[in-house]
Amino acid sequence: MNTYDAIITRRSIRSYESTPVPEELLDKVVSAGLYAPSGVNLQPWFVVAVKSSEEMDRVRGIVGEAAEKFRPFLTERFKNNPEVAESTIAFLKTLGGAPACILIFRYKPDYGESEEAVSISIGAAIENMLVAARALGLGSICLTGPVKDCSAKMNEIYAPDKGRLTAIIPVGYPAEEPTAPARKAGRSITV
Ligand SMILES: Cc1cc2nc3c(=O)[nH]c(=O)nc-3n(C[C@H](O)[C@H](O)[C@H](O)COP(=O)(O)O)c2cc1C
């Protein structure tokens, strides 16, 4: 698959096969993130790849607890579609059955650089990993919803003194082929 096709056909995957992700593919996905551009070459990230079933159970437990804390927000946000709130919580508790995931931390709290430089760099690393996963036949999704409610525990366990959790990226072979949500009109012009 060429790069353009991987970018355009990448979708957020919320249901995964239980088939393990080969370690070399997971390593490639992580490398793609580490090779992202970054402002002033800060490389302002710390990446933890989780693949053992014991650690995945632990991650699911932590995210599941966060999902419960997140429930009041989701219930309010989707008050006209309560099934969306419930399916989101169910997804977070299982991470869609993903056999692996990647945790991405912001390495230092303060870089003395613009906030944009740091957050865009981390976003670039995340997008590189999502696109690489697609190119390697894997599915993935970037999750930030539960981060606020689980970052303390994730930091303590997986990245003491290495920043704060920014996103959780389940990875695995997709068990669904979602269609692309419609892209909003009027969001680009050429002059
Ligand atoms: C920064 C960021 C945070 C996201 N957080 C969540 C999340 O917490 N839960 C979720 O189900 N999807 C999350 N998503 C996935 C988006 O819902 C998804 O990208 C969007 O609906 C477009 O669909 P697509 O990725 O298939 O193109 C997130 C995506 C991004 C880029």
Side-chain angles (χ1 to χ4, degrees), residues 10-12 14 88 91-92 141-146 179-181 183:
R10 176 212 55 80
R11 292 278 69 76
S12 290
R14 295 182 176 83
T88 302
F91 163 64
L92 291 175
I141 179 172
C142 171
L143 301 176
T144 59
T179 48
R183 265 38 193 174

Coordinates of all heavy atoms in Angstrom, one line a residue, residues 10-12 14 88 91-92 141-146 179-181 183, ligand 1:
R10 N -6.9 4.9 6.2 CA -6.8 4.6 7.7 C -8.2 5.0 8.3 O -8.8 6.0 8.0 CB -5.8 5.5 8.3 CG -5.7 5.4 9.8 CD -5.3 6.7 10.5 NE -6.1 7.8 10.1 CZ -7.3 8.0 10.7 NH1 -7.8 7.2 11.6 NH2 -8.1 9.0 10.3
R11 N -8.6 4.1 9.2 CA -9.9 4.4 10.0 C -9.6 4.1 11.4 O -8.8 3.3 11.8 CB -11.1 3.6 9.5 CG -11.6 3.8 8.1 CD -12.6 5.0 8.0 NE -11.9 6.3 8.2 CZ -11.2 7.0 7.3 NH1 -10.9 6.4 6.2 NH2 -10.6 8.1 7.6
S12 N -10.4 4.8 12.3 CA -10.4 4.5 13.7 C -11.1 3.1 13.9 O -12.2 3.0 13.6 CB -11.1 5.6 14.5 OG -10.3 6.7 14.5
R14 N -12.5 0.1 16.3 CA -13.0 -0.1 17.6 C -13.3 -1.5 17.9 O -13.9 -1.8 18.9 CB -14.2 0.8 17.9 CG -13.9 2.3 17.8 CD -15.1 3.2 18.1 NE -14.7 4.6 18.2 CZ -14.5 5.4 17.1 NH1 -14.8 5.0 15.9 NH2 -14.2 6.7 17.3
T88 N -19.6 3.4 24.0 CA -18.3 4.0 24.2 C -17.6 3.5 25.4 O -16.5 3.1 25.4 CB -18.4 5.6 24.3 OG1 -19.0 6.0 23.1 CG2 -17.0 6.2 24.5
F91 N -16.6 -0.1 24.9 CA -15.4 -0.1 24.1 C -14.2 0.2 24.9 O -13.2 -0.5 24.9 CB -15.5 0.8 22.9 CG -14.2 1.2 22.3 CD1 -13.4 0.2 21.6 CD2 -13.7 2.4 22.3 CE1 -12.2 0.4 21.1 CE2 -12.4 2.7 21.8 CZ -11.7 1.7 21.2
L92 N -14.3 1.2 25.8 CA -13.1 1.6 26.6 C -12.7 0.5 27.6 O -11.6 0.2 27.8 CB -13.4 2.9 27.3 CG -13.5 4.1 26.4 CD1 -13.9 5.4 27.3 CD2 -12.2 4.4 25.7
I141 N -6.5 3.1 16.8 CA -7.3 4.3 17.1 C -6.6 5.1 18.1 O -6.0 4.6 19.1 CB -8.7 3.9 17.6 CG1 -9.6 5.2 17.9 CG2 -8.7 3.0 18.8 CD1 -11.1 4.9 18.1
C142 N -6.7 6.4 18.0 CA -6.1 7.4 19.0 C -7.2 7.6 20.0 O -8.3 8.1 19.6 CB -5.6 8.7 18.3 SG -5.2 9.9 19.5
L143 N -6.9 7.4 21.3 CA -7.9 7.7 22.3 C -7.3 8.8 23.3 O -6.3 8.5 23.9 CB -8.2 6.5 23.1 CG -8.8 5.3 22.4 CD1 -8.9 4.1 23.3 CD2 -10.1 5.6 21.8
T144 N -8.1 9.8 23.5 CA -7.7 10.8 24.5 C -8.8 10.9 25.6 O -8.5 11.5 26.7 CB -7.4 12.2 23.9 OG1 -8.6 12.7 23.3 CG2 -6.2 12.2 23.0
G145 N -10.0 10.5 25.2 CA -11.2 10.6 26.2 C -10.8 10.2 27.6 O -11.1 10.9 28.5
P146 N -10.3 9.0 27.8 CA -10.1 8.5 29.1 C -8.8 8.9 29.8 O -8.5 8.6 30.9 CB -10.1 6.9 28.9 CG -9.6 6.7 27.5 CD -10.1 7.9 26.7
T179 N -16.7 2.7 7.5 CA -16.6 3.7 6.4 C -16.1 5.0 7.0 O -16.4 5.3 8.2 CB -17.9 3.9 5.7 OG1 -18.9 4.1 6.6 CG2 -18.2 2.7 4.8
A180 N -15.5 5.8 6.2 CA -15.0 7.1 6.7 C -16.1 8.0 7.1 O -17.1 8.2 6.3 CB -14.1 7.8 5.7
P181 N -16.1 8.6 8.3 CA -17.1 9.6 8.6 C -17.0 10.7 7.6 O -15.8 11.1 7.2 CB -16.7 10.1 10.0 CG -15.8 9.1 10.6 CD -15.2 8.4 9.4
R183 N -16.3 13.9 5.7 CA -15.4 15.1 6.0 C -16.2 16.4 5.8 O -17.0 16.5 4.9 CB -14.2 15.0 5.1 CG -13.0 14.3 5.7 CD -13.3 13.1 6.6 NE -12.1 12.7 7.4 CZ -12.1 11.7 8.3 NH1 -13.3 11.0 8.5 NH2 -11.1 11.4 9.0
Ligands
LIG1 C1 -6.8 13.4 19.3 C2 -7.8 12.4 19.1 C3 -8.5 11.9 20.2 C4 -9.5 10.9 20.0 N1 -10.1 10.4 21.1 C5 -11.1 9.4 20.9 C6 -11.7 8.8 22.0 O1 -11.4 9.1 23.2 N2 -12.6 7.8 21.8 C7 -13.0 7.4 20.5 O2 -13.8 6.5 20.4 N3 -12.3 8.0 19.4 C8 -11.4 8.9 19.6 N4 -10.8 9.5 18.5 C9 -11.1 9.0 17.1 C10 -12.0 9.9 16.4 O3 -13.3 9.8 16.9 C11 -11.9 9.6 14.9 O4 -10.6 9.9 14.5 C12 -12.9 10.5 14.1 O5 -14.2 10.2 14.4 C13 -12.7 10.3 12.6 O6 -12.8 9.0 12.2 P1 -11.6 8.2 11.4 O7 -10.4 8.2 12.4 O8 -12.0 6.8 11.1 O9 -11.2 9.0 10.2 C14 -9.8 10.4 18.7 C15 -9.1 10.9 17.6 C16 -8.1 11.9 17.8 C17 -7.3 12.4 16.6

